[in-house]
Amino acid sequence: MSDHSRPTPFIEMRNISKAFGPVQALRDINLTLAPGEILGLVGDNSAGKSTLMKVMTGAYQRDSGDVLVNGRETHFKSPHESRVDGIEMIYQDFALCGNMDIAQNIFLGRWPRRGLFVDRRRMYEEADQVLKRLKVDVNSVFQKVESLSGGRQQSVAIARAISFDPKVVVLDEPTANLSVMATERLLETMSELKKQGVAQIIISHRLTDIFEVGDRIMVMKRGQNVGDRYIAHTTEQEVLELIVSGTPETALTADQALESRAA
């Protein structure tokens, strides 16, 4: 995919604003995500990154603006509705049940049935298939989640999201509490998802991870977009400068930034 011939966005957010009482969390934010693209979403802790993603998935209701999925205007009332349209979000705490095994967590609340009973054989077979699709290596799908390392638990959370066959996966600080080896495995999993056409948004403070697997990076500050760059045409230093001192006036799109450099 060339920089100047990007496909129609799978997701397009236009002029999104959101306030919580007197606090303006988002102000006229624009975001696009192409099919199969990996977008890094960065900024300080009060930038509004998670809020924007919760608006996209229907966990929060926007005050104004439009959200288009595959060119169709949507207004999700809940994450369940956005899941139907192929959008999954994985939160920092993974939201797993530690006393249940891997397969039970992957199919939690929607266990396959045969008549009135849970089809346990099918559940474990399908869980195993999902993990193999992600190239995740676990000892057994019968293993209790609480016995797994943070990296393995992250893999189970991703496997659960993938079992819904999403078009987009949002990961909130996915490598924050992982070891170096677990981080490498996660980045490999993300690259594997990209090969399978799954678009991803990574909310992260770790620029190195985003630069390793990402296509594009968007910088937010105080609820506004202060920069959008292609990974191949920027540096970690430039992105850090935008995070620290960016202003809305510097909020070029990735294509505009490229054109300004070429001029």
Side-chain angles (χ1 to χ4, degrees), residues 41-58:
L41 192 57
V42 301
D44 57 30
N45 287 330
S46 59
K49 306 180 298 293
S50 294
T51 300
L52 182 65
M53 292 299 94
K54 288 177 179 177
V55 167
M56 188 179 82
T57 60

Side-chain angles (χ1 to χ4, degrees), residues 15-19 24 26-29 61-65:
N15 304 117
I16 300 296
S17 292
K18 175 67 179 177
Q24 191 71 39
L26 300 173
R27 191 189 305 274
D28 292 324
I29 282 276
Q61 299 304 302
R62 61 188 182 270
D63 296 334
S64 60

Side-chain angles (χ1 to χ4, degrees), residues 125-235:
E125 285 178 351
E126 291 187 3
D128 191 52
Q129 288 169 9
V130 172
L131 292 170
K132 283 178 178 172
R133 175 184 167 188
L134 292 175
K135 297 186 177 175
V136 172
D137 181 30
V138 295
N139 292 332
S140 166
V141 289
F142 296 96
Q143 195 172 352
K144 288 282 201 298
V145 161
E146 62 193 2
S147 71
L148 301 174
S149 67
R152 298 295 190 202
Q153 289 190 23
Q154 173 78 275
S155 295
V156 173
I158 294 173
R160 183 176 60 193
I162 291 305
S163 70
F164 286 97
D165 201 23
K167 304 290 190 300
V168 176
V169 174
V170 181
L171 299 104
D172 192 356
E173 295 290 352
T175 61
N177 300 308
L178 300 187
S179 67
V180 173
M181 186 174 293
T183 295
E184 287 177 2
R185 277 201 302 263
L186 175 63
L187 296 178
E188 288 170 5
T189 298
M190 295 178 71
S191 296
E192 187 62 32
L193 286 176
K194 178 180 172 62
K195 289 176 189 173
Q196 296 175 20
V198 179
Q200 297 157 78
I201 298 176
I202 320 168
I203 303 172
S204 182
H205 287 91
R206 292 169 66 159
L207 294 182
T208 304
D209 298 339
I210 293 173
F211 270 72
E212 186 168 333
V213 297
D215 298 299
R216 198 162 50 89
I217 191 162
M218 174 175 152
V219 185
M220 292 180 63
K221 192 173 183 71
R222 299 190 194 94
Q224 294 178 281
N225 181 355
V226 296
D228 193 328
R229 302 287 187 271
Y230 288 109
I231 297 291
H233 297 280
T234 189
T235 63

